[in-house]
Amino acid sequence: TQLLEQSPQFLSIQEGENLTVYCNSSSVFSSLQWYRQEPGEGPVLLVTVVTGGEVKKLKRLTFQFGDARKDSSLHITAAQPGDTGLYLCAGFNAGNNRKLIWGLGTSLAVNP
Amino acid sequence: KAGVTQTPRYLIKTRGQQVTLSCSPISGHRSVSWYQQTPGQGLQFLFEYFSETQRNKGNFPGRFSGRQFSNSRSEMNVSTLELGDSALYLCASSLEGRGFNQPQHFGDGTRLSIL
């Protein structure tokens, strides 16, 4: 069974701090997606990483896919209250009946 | 471009009843997936429909069923509701394409509460 473990599960920080959340697996994925979900809404896609070692930046967010395509990280620089939400990673393996494997998420609270 | 629309947004039912939830995907999207989200279990995949056919199924009991219509709209039904079915039910649509790396576009969900 493929599993994606996200850490930390909860994170509460002050505005302006930096943070990193992790998404780890023992399985190899064809691609990995990161989503952010705000209360009362559905998840919204932030980025998809496909190539091992790939780094993508989205303003203050930096996403990295591990060289072996088994893990990924999300780094936020100078966090703002608007970054508050649940961050979810989802791994896709084309050989796994096309299902997305979801992590449980990291709940981030950025306090002003 | 309209997003994924789920109705109703909130629903309260009692044990033993059944419920039908509706999802209208983004225009042009032919794949519709359903998920159950709870604080303890996270997002759990229920099933995926493509061209009116169930293409993938998660590990849920037969009380959970779905269907997709020719216009790609989808419904899911839960029969004989149990307290543990209380959750946020999310629908997501995506384009079909090679590589299957298409992102999921989610609706805002239906919050189902079982009393």
Side-chain angles (χ1 to χ4, degrees):
Chain A
T1 302
Q2 289 184 301
L3 292 173
L4 265 176
E5 296 184 0
Q6 288 191 244
S7 61
Q9 189 176 356
F10 299 98
L11 194 54
S12 180
I13 61 172
Q14 294 300 122
E15 183 176 0
E17 292 184 11
N18 301 331
L19 68 118
T20 302
V21 299
Y22 300 92
C23 179
N24 296 308
S25 176
S26 58
S27 303
V28 176
F29 292 101
S30 306
S31 64
L32 194 136
Q33 302 169 3
W34 282 93
Y35 292 79
R36 179 170 64 212
Q37 183 177 20
E38 299 185 25
E41 299 181 6
V44 175
L45 179 71
L46 296 173
V47 77
T48 300
V49 286
V50 179
T51 306
E54 182 177 5
V55 176
K56 281 192 173 179
K57 291 192 174 184
L58 185 65
K59 296 183 181 178
R60 294 175 294 99
L61 279 60
T62 302
F63 303 85
Q64 185 163 8
F65 202 13
D67 291 340
R69 290 185 287 128
K70 293 182 179 182
D71 53 80
S72 182
S73 64
L74 158 60
H75 182 80
I76 301 179
T77 303
Q80 299 178 0
D83 296 326
T84 294
L86 179 68
Y87 288 82
L88 294 158
C89 64
F92 181 82
N93 189 330
N96 185 32
N97 294 324
R98 298 184 63 257
K99 292 180 186 176
L100 275 177
I101 307 299
W102 291 85
L104 291 180
T106 292
S107 181
L108 171 65
V110 182
N111 306 302
Chain B
K1 190 175 186 181
V4 177
T5 303
Q6 291 189 245
T7 56
R9 286 298 309 275
Y10 303 93
L11 205 49
I12 299 175
K13 292 286 187 179
T14 57
R15 282 180 296 175
Q17 288 186 310
Q18 74 165 15
V19 67
T20 300
L21 311 181
S22 179
C23 172
S24 294
I26 291 174
S27 178
H29 285 194
R30 298 166 63 191
S31 171
V32 174
S33 298
W34 287 90
Y35 295 88
Q36 182 194 67
Q37 187 177 33
T38 58
Q41 300 294 320
L43 263 167
Q44 295 193 85
F45 173 74
L46 281 155
F47 26 65
E48 180 205 5
Y49 285 87
F50 179 79
S51 291
E52 302 178 63
T53 301
Q54 187 180 89
R55 187 160 63 174
N56 269 308
K57 189 176 187 303
N59 298 322
F60 279 80
R63 298 186 297 108
F64 292 81
S65 63
R67 59 178 175 169
Q68 187 180 33
F69 302 94
S70 58
N71 61 358
S72 293
R73 190 177 71 84
S74 178
E75 290 181 346
M76 69 163 281
N77 183 276
V78 188
S79 63
T80 319
L81 287 165
E82 301 176 358
L83 292 177
D85 297 333
S86 294
L88 180 67
Y89 289 87
L90 290 163
C91 165
S93 72
S94 63
L95 286 167
E96 173 69 348
R98 287 189 176 183
F100 308 122
N101 290 327
Q102 303 297 333
Q104 303 275 292
H105 297 265
F106 285 87
D108 288 336
T110 294
R111 174 71 62 183
L112 176 63
S113 298
I114 311 301
L115 303 179

